[in-house]
Amino acid sequence: MSAGRSTNRIGCVQVMRCAHWLAPLTVLLAVTLPHLGDGDWMRGDSGWYAAIGVQACRTGQWWTLWEAPGREYFNKPPLVFWIQGTWMSLAGIGAWQARAATIAAAALCVLAASGIARRIHGRRVALLAGALLAINIEFFRRTREISLDMWQCAFMLLGAWMMVSILGRTTGVWWRTLLAGAAIGSALMCKPFVALAAPLILGLWMVTTTTGAHRRRALIVSCAVPVIAIAVALPWHLSMISIHGDAFVSQYFGREIADRASGELIGGQRQTQPAWFYIANAGAAWTMWLAAGILGFAGCWRPHPDARGRRLRSLGIAWSLAWLVLLTAFPDRRDRYAIPMHAGLAITAASLLTGRSRSVASANRWIPVAAVGTGLALSLLPIRFQRPIHPQWPALTAWLGSNAPDGVWDGAFSGAPAARIYLETGAWPRTTRDRKGNMNASPPAGAILLYHRRGGWSPGEGEVIAWTEGDLIATRLEKPPWSPIPTPDPGE
């Protein structure tokens, strides 16, 4: 009996040592797996991103991505498309396959947030930091889509974790610095430039919170990480400039960066969001604040943290405020950009939930149980996590199967709408314009052309409407030449 008790005791200790990352992952899965296959997973840009990635895997054209036949995709770097395309080519094309990769990125975010808190304050606070981020509705709702921002945040937090792990160490500094630089470089390969803010924020915090030799080491590390990150991301960017020249530069550095930074409306926006947009977004994370409040009521709240709590709190506040300021200064404000800010808010809240050890230990035990119960309830309840597929899309697929055996042409159907056709049929609509909008192909008589309400064009003379539903129109060109009518984008 004594040997059995000893074995059970050892097993419990091992589980408790892993609880700081197992429990947050349990919480994350509890709120992301229920109804995973429901709703329209191709809404927004998700279908487009999936199609670009899957096409790269099918054709082997990994370095230069393509958004349609003969039209390169220069909007974003390729890393997420490589990940998503490889995964969906193996697992299949569908809702759960698309979302599973984003859940994996969210899991990395949660693990990194827990790791940062673990390094500064210990396992119990690490569990709380990861769990609070996982339960944040403004965080986990992004897993219902293919999210470049989630992957970018995952790599930034992994880099931040490696930088924080250097604090107080005299050995293993350089390999951690290399890993931090590689992680930030990977983030740069998800979206342009933004990730360079992460090592600058962490570096400034490290330098201002250390002294003596540790400060000098922190200064060197905070300078080395961005250099390594740039070295990781630079080859792809230079090769794109070398291969594609002005076509890449004007799209990648012009429309995707300069135009957004200047406040130009992009993607059908009617107006930019107000300056307080991200403050409201932080308040919208009500599930995290509710969970923190319950934990505080249970006795975990400590209004005056100890030295470790103050240090973790200063990091969380610095990270959150820095991202709040940077994101607010950028005129193109979107709620999905705020994922890094929410990670900082979770760490800040966890730094205050370090009260009586018995209360925290009790929370460590019931958080996973509550998460599993919540997940089961969400799975059984008829809750709608995302809008259902609009009837126009299956209706179009069915109509095309009977009326367009030789394929269709892009009348005003490029981007996300065309991606749906590719994912459903395996073939893109035939392109009619180059990336600047100039016509480069003329459909023949009898061709079927597809239009979307927001495509910028509507049917012209010589076309007969063959089918229409919702935002979609299919026409047959009876009298060439094709001459569509320019139509302003009505917006979202």
Side-chain angles (χ1 to χ4, degrees):
M1 292 294 291
S2 60
R5 291 195 193 98
S6 177
T7 301
N8 291 337
R9 189 177 297 111
I10 292 172
C12 291
V13 170
Q14 291 175 339
V15 170
M16 287 304 295
R17 287 184 174 180
C18 297
H20 69 282
W21 60 268
L22 278 177
L25 287 183
T26 302
V27 174
L28 178 68
L29 295 178
V31 295
T32 56
L33 293 185
H35 302 280
L36 185 62
D38 293 354
D40 185 3
W41 71 271
M42 287 189 268
R43 285 183 61 237
D45 288 334
S46 291
W48 196 19
Y49 293 160
I52 293 171
V54 169
Q55 177 180 243
C57 191
R58 288 174 176 174
T59 64
Q61 296 175 314
W62 295 100
W63 204 244
T64 296
L65 300 176
W66 299 83
E67 65 178 69
R71 192 160 62 221
E72 303 93 338
Y73 179 82
F74 293 145
N75 293 11
K76 301 292 188 296
L79 181 55
V80 178
F81 300 96
W82 294 344
I83 296 171
Q84 194 75 40
T86 301
W87 162 245
M88 294 187 72
S89 294
L90 295 172
I93 295 172
W96 75 264
Q97 295 95 328
R99 292 164 179 159
T102 307
I103 292 173
L108 291 177
C109 291
V110 169
L111 288 174
S114 296
I116 291 169
R118 166 75 176 87
R119 175 61 185 161
I120 297 175
H121 205 303
R123 291 189 180 91
R124 288 171 175 162
V125 178
L127 183 151
L128 297 175
L132 288 175
L133 178 58
I135 201 67
N136 184 330
I137 190 171
E138 285 297 318
F139 172 76
F140 72 75
R141 76 185 185 95
R142 302 259 70 94
T143 63
R144 309 306 279 190
E145 63 197 23
I146 296 175
S147 175
L148 276 62
D149 298 276
M150 187 67 79
W151 280 105
Q152 176 185 246
C153 184
F155 288 121
M156 287 195 297
L157 289 175
L158 289 172
W161 183 12
M162 287 297 100
M163 292 181 70
V164 168
S165 71
I166 291 168
L167 292 172
R169 295 183 185 273
T170 57
T171 60
V173 171
W174 295 115
W175 70 261
R176 287 181 170 85
T177 302
L178 288 172
L179 286 177
I184 300 300
S186 298
L188 290 175
M189 289 294 287
C190 296
K191 296 190 74 174
F193 298 130
V194 175
L196 286 176
L200 298 180
I201 297 169
L202 259 295
L204 182 61
W205 177 81
M206 291 170 65
V207 169
T208 55
T209 57
T210 53
T211 58
H214 293 302
R215 174 175 288 180
R216 289 191 294 272
R217 189 178 297 113
L219 181 60
I220 294 172
V221 169
S222 61
C223 292
V225 169
V227 173
I228 297 169
I230 292 172
V232 170
L234 195 59
W236 180 83
H237 289 80
L238 290 179
S239 70
M240 288 295 101
I241 295 173
S242 175
I243 296 169
H244 302 287
D246 183 65
F248 173 78
V249 172
S250 60
Q251 178 67 20
Y252 189 84
F253 296 99
R255 178 175 171 80
E256 289 298 309
I257 298 175
D259 288 354
R260 291 176 185 268
S262 67
E264 182 174 328
L265 298 179
I266 302 291
Q269 284 185 309
R270 293 182 180 273
Q271 61 183 16
T272 56
Q273 298 291 350
W276 44 263
F277 176 75
Y278 291 110
I279 296 176
N281 183 264
W286 63 271
T287 48
M288 182 176 72
W289 304 126
L290 177 62
I294 292 173
L295 289 167
F297 183 77
C300 300
W301 183 263
R302 177 176 286 183
H304 304 290
D306 57 16
R308 295 185 305 168
R310 288 193 295 272
R311 194 174 198 189
L312 183 62
R313 181 176 60 181
S314 70
L315 171 58
I317 291 174
W319 181 271
S320 303
L321 284 180
W323 283 108
L324 174 63
V325 171
L326 290 171
L327 293 172
T328 301
F330 195 70
D332 182 28
R333 303 182 184 107
R334 316 272 179 135
D335 52 6
R336 62 179 180 269
Y337 297 167
I339 296 175
M341 181 184 71
H342 288 285
L345 293 174
I347 291 172
T348 303
S351 71
L352 296 171
L353 297 173
T354 60
R356 298 190 304 271
S357 59
R358 289 185 179 180
S359 299
V360 179
S362 176
N364 288 354
R365 289 191 293 271
W366 61 257
I367 283 176
V369 177
V372 172
T374 301
L376 290 174
L378 292 175
S379 299
L380 296 173
L381 292 173
I383 298 174
R384 192 177 75 180
F385 280 75
Q386 195 176 29
R387 293 180 198 170
I389 300 174
H390 194 290
Q392 66 188 10
W393 296 111
L396 174 62
T397 302
W399 186 86
L400 291 177
S402 302
N403 296 273
D406 298 326
V408 295
W409 291 74
D410 174 12
F413 215 72
S414 60
R420 285 182 180 261
I421 301 298
Y422 177 74
L423 294 172
E424 292 284 350
T425 68
W428 293 90
R430 296 183 182 122
T431 54
T432 53
R433 298 178 185 84
D434 60 22
R435 59 179 313 99
K436 294 183 179 180
N438 300 316
M439 192 180 300
N440 60 6
S442 182
I448 299 295
L449 294 112
L450 297 182
Y451 293 84
H452 190 280
R453 178 179 64 91
R454 295 190 54 204
W457 301 87
S458 57
E461 292 186 12
E463 292 180 77
V464 175
I465 295 178
W467 176 90
T468 182
E469 184 169 340
D471 296 331
L472 314 180
I473 298 175
T475 69
R476 181 174 286 102
L477 182 62
E478 294 192 344
K479 297 179 180 179
W482 179 52
S483 55
I485 302 170
T487 306
D489 183 353
E492 297 174 344

